Amino acid sequence: MAEKLPDHVYDVVILGGGPGGFTAGIYAARAGLKALLLEGETSVSQITATDLIENYPGIPDGIGGFELVERFKTQALKFGLETTRDEAKSLLRISLDNVPAWEVAAENKTYAALAVIAATGTNWRRLGVPGEEAHIGKGVSFCATCDGPFYRNREVVVVGGGDTALQEALFLTHFASRVTLIHRRSRLRAAAILQERARKNEKIRFLWDSVVKEIRGKEFVEAVLVENLPSKEVSQVSAEGVFIFVGLTPNTAPFSRIVNLDENGYIVTDQEMKTSEAGIFAAGDCTRKLLRQVVTACGDGATAAFSAQLYVEALKGRSYLAFSDEARIK
Ligand code: NAP
């Protein structure tokens, strides 16, 4: 292939402005690739809604999610990554002078690239109970960092038993007079350190083996109806805020007909963060993986960028690892 691409064509377009995406951006830019990252226009990286990250190595005192992502971005821009606010909607395989490439159709514009890195993350799962949709922004929230301060000296409910529910419940105790954590089982999924802190916190009480049946309130949330699963007894819990942390759904709709997804909609990759489709790589929470953390997303992002670099160099016929070019393009 000709060394020189048409001006509008990128070596790699990275979809998603979270830890996976920006780390891919840092590596791609440092590798000399012409790289563009699309940050969601209406969506934000979930990590920016986390008030404190304590387990990212090298930052022993912890750091806010927003600040950490801003630092990733500053670092990527320093090395020449281009960014824009746009949201990918679909992908199309195209050919540029017989060279395979991808067209990314986004909300505002269409972009062309030899390789694409999907780092689109996840979104908060909903409970799907009456009153949930109607009260979003009126007491129902998916972000304690954003909305917690509105509940000073008020009673709130947290739903879920994972790391997010526990971490956010602990954060809410800085404001709320009482935090009732409703979990559908009698034990928590969250990491032991978070469980221990929550159990020691006098403001947190647990409703075990219980599920929310309805969120009630005229305009704003006033209470939730809770069913105790073993007894089937339904009771009303007063609360002005309902914080829902019942897991995640992957933002993989643009890729659903192109790359292999697992049964839950996560992108399946190999160890080199290659997907089932040549030229599409994936990183971070949107991929099928055991552990969704900032540090693992960053690792994925670095690997995906390096894989993309090898793929692009092989396409351009200037790979240092020439012996494996054919395998890499497949
Ligand atoms: P998660 O680990 O999937 O936990 C979701 C929780 O919600 C589970 O306890 C689950 O119950 C419950 N749940 C699911 N559907 C429900 C429903 N319809 N009704 C009631 N409860 C329901 O999700 P997450 O806590 O958001 O964490 C997501 C990922 O981010 C995890 O990998 C986590 O480790 C990571 N994370 C890490 C940190 C940290 O390291 N500090 C902080 C936040 C998140 P069951 O337990 O019964 O399935």
Side-chain angles (χ1 to χ4, degrees):
M1 158 192 188
E3 279 267 313
K4 180 99 177 77
L5 290 169
D7 277 351
H8 72 284
V9 180
Y10 287 90
D11 288 320
V12 59
V13 167
I14 301 161
L15 310 178
F22 277 119
T23 306
I26 291 169
Y27 278 74
R30 280 175 59 86
L33 298 183
K34 184 179 176 194
L36 172 73
L37 182 147
L38 305 194
E39 294 183 79
E41 195 168 35
T42 49
S43 59
V44 291
S45 165
Q46 280 192 306
I47 201 66
T48 59
T50 304
D51 78 303
L52 185 66
I53 296 159
E54 287 182 306
N55 51 8
Y56 190 74
I59 310 181
D61 296 330
I63 185 168
F66 183 81
E67 189 189 339
L68 185 58
V69 173
E70 280 300 301
R71 286 194 192 189
F72 291 156
K73 183 174 177 178
T74 305
Q75 199 170 348
L77 295 178
K78 185 179 123 184
F79 291 118
L81 177 72
E82 291 178 40
T83 64
T84 186
R85 290 229 168 253
D86 211 345
E87 200 125 344
K89 296 291 171 201
S90 62
L91 263 72
L92 184 68
R93 171 61 98 189
I94 55 168
S95 172
L96 300 167
D97 287 338
N98 289 327
V99 176
W102 291 98
E103 192 174 83
V104 179
E107 192 85 36
N108 303 328
K109 233 179 123 177
T110 296
Y111 307 87
L114 297 181
V116 171
I117 297 176
T120 43
T122 53
N123 217 327
W124 291 277
R125 189 186 286 150
R126 307 271 165 101
L127 282 175
V129 297
E132 184 183 36
E133 286 299 318
H135 288 104
I136 291 175
K138 295 174 179 174
V140 170
S141 171
F142 299 89
C143 177
T145 311
C146 321
D147 300 329
F150 297 126
Y151 296 91
R152 205 172 286 279
N153 300 323
R154 291 158 200 254
E155 293 189 22
V156 301
V157 152
V158 167
V159 190
D163 285 336
T164 309
L166 273 276
Q167 187 161 337
E168 303 300 286
L170 284 161
F171 178 73
L172 286 165
T173 61
H174 298 315
F175 311 98
S177 55
R178 184 164 75 167
V179 177
T180 301
L181 191 133
I182 300 171
H183 183 39
R184 64 184 180 183
R185 292 208 240 178
S186 57
R187 53 181 285 202
L188 296 163
R189 179 184 286 271
I193 188 167
L194 293 172
Q195 294 195 31
E196 195 186 323
R197 284 183 200 163
R199 287 180 205 276
K200 279 189 186 152
N201 193 309
E202 286 177 356
K203 279 194 181 176
I204 298 180
R205 71 159 178 155
F206 295 89
L207 284 188
W208 301 110
D209 295 315
S210 299
V211 292
V212 172
K213 300 295 282 182
E214 187 182 338
I215 298 169
R216 290 186 159 176
K218 286 193 188 81
E219 190 181 351
F220 294 95
V221 169
E222 292 164 25
V224 291
L225 274 194
V226 179
E227 180 184 327
N228 178 272
L229 293 171
S231 70
K232 301 272 174 240
E233 216 170 87
V234 176
S235 58
Q236 182 158 304
V237 176
S238 295
E240 291 180 53
V242 180
F243 290 82
I244 298 167
F245 304 113
V246 294
L248 309 166
T249 52
N251 298 323
T252 51
F255 316 100
S256 62
R257 296 214 188 103
I258 296 175
V259 302
N260 288 347
L261 306 181
D262 75 2
E263 63 283 7
N264 297 312
Y266 290 94
I267 299 173
V268 178
T269 67
D270 66 9
Q271 281 189 337
E272 298 179 1
M273 308 320 289
K274 287 181 193 164
T275 68
S276 56
E277 195 61 34
I280 301 187
F281 306 84
D285 283 6
C286 67
T287 64
R288 179 176 71 180
K289 63 195 301 192
L290 181 62
L291 184 62
R292 293 192 170 79
Q293 297 279 305
V294 177
V295 70
T296 59
C298 291
D300 291 352
T303 305
F306 187 57
S307 284
Q309 176 196 335
L310 297 181
Y311 175 81
V312 167
E313 287 175 349
L315 277 184
K316 291 180 173 176
R318 55 171 148 111
S319 172
Y320 185 73
L321 303 173
F323 66 90
S324 58
D325 280 359
E326 252 179 56
R328 296 203 172 277
I329 296 172
K330 264 180 211 152

